[in-house]
């Protein structure tokens, strides 16, 4: 671990001087929904006792605008004013991402807010943020960011019943050539979704609003075979399981009370079912279930994106065929 310099925050000033020349100045940061969903997923899967999570931002720069299109998590540990970062893990993950998309490069890093506590005057930044920012400045040394990475903070404290999103740039505060601190100032930030992402997000919102609506027979016939189902399959499965458990429990209670006669066949089936259930602590089961649920939601999101891209590709090919004819 290494000690960090203090981090200062310049509040509510998106036009502050960054200390860079005009050709290097950044005016806005564009973030895609996939980045936000990935950060929230990383935060949800964090280990107990970890205050915040960090990761690498990937994207591209176009003049004075940085577009953040992807990200990945990076392990780290913080204690007081010291921090340790998984540098080897970051390099390996970056190499894998660049093999899949050579147009992306490192544009900065993200972090979630610290938990609500009096220990942190500002949940978005801490003194260790300066050291992490210096590490990513080195990672951006040979990129279009030119040692000036973006710091994206996702406020997961839900203080105002919302998920806040802020972007920062940093400049060094020096005295007689000696660095004293890093000053973070906020930059303009906007969420932007591509056509395929917008279609997927609209479908996700529609599926949430239509969870309790059961389509009639005519609506089912009108739906194409590849149309996504509006019913919540996981909820239906859990309801069926709960119903079967209640039926078995009711049968056992009636046999114990002497209301009905015991059936050896049914009793043997119940015993075999109970013996096949693994013995696991409730808190461990809850953690496994939540992790599996997050995997299911992410797979569903990615499958919807893939389906949308295939549909767009088919339409483009059909349009090109018509033009050639």
């Amino acid at each position: 671990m290494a000690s960090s310099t203090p981090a200062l925050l310049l509040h509510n000033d998106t036009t502050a001087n960054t200390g860079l020349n005009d050709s290097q100045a950044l005016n806005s940061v564009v973030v895609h929904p996939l980045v936000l969903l990935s950060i929230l997923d990383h935060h949800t899967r964090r280990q107990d006792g970890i205050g915040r999570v960090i990761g690498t931002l990937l994207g591209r720069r176009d003049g004075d605008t940085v577009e953040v299109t992807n990200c990945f998590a990076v392990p780290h540990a913080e204690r007081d004013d010291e921090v340790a970062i998984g540098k080897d893990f970051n390099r390996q993950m970056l190499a894998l991402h660049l093999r899949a998309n050579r147009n992306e490069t490192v544009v900065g890093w993200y972090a979630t807010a610290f938990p609500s506590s009096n220990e942190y005057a500002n949940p978005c930044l801490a003194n260790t943020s300066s050291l992490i920012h210096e590490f990513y400045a080195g990672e951006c040394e040979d990129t279009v960011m030119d040692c000036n990475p973006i710091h994206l903070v996702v406020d997961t404290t839900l203080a105002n019943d919302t998920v806040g999103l802020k972007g920062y740039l940093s400049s060094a505060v020096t005295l007689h050539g000696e660095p004293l601190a890093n000053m973070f100032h906020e930059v303009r930030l906007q969420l932007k979704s591509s056509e395929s992402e917008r279609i997927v997000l609209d479908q996700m919102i529609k599926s949430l609003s239509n969870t309790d609506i059961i389509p009639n027979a005519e609506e089912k016939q009108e739906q194409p075979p590849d149309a996504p189902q509006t019913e919540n399959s996981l909820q239906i499965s859990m309801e069926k399981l709960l119903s079967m458990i209640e039926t078995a429990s009711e049968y056992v209670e009636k046999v114990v009370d002497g209301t009905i006669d015991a059936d050896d066949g049914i009793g043997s089936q119940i015993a075999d079912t109970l013996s096949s259930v693994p013995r696991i602590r409730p808190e461990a089961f809850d953690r496994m279930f939540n992790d599996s649920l997050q995997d299911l939601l992410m797979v569903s999101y990615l499958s919807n994106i893939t389906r949308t891209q295939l549909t767009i590709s088919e339409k483009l090919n059909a349009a090109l065929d018509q033009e050639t004819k």
Side-chain angles (χ1 to χ4, degrees), residues 121-136:
N122 179 15
C124 295
L125 293 173
N127 289 338
T128 51
S129 298
S130 297
L131 188 57
I132 301 175
H133 201 79
E134 291 173 3
F135 165 73
Y136 278 97

Side-chain angles (χ1 to χ4, degrees), residues 156-185:
T156 53
T157 60
L158 300 178
N160 298 320
D161 294 332
T162 184
V163 178
L165 193 64
K166 295 183 179 180
Y168 296 97
L169 288 174
S170 173
S171 57
V173 178
T174 60
L175 180 63
H176 300 297
E178 294 293 333
L180 298 180
N182 286 332
M183 182 176 66
F184 289 85
H185 55 87

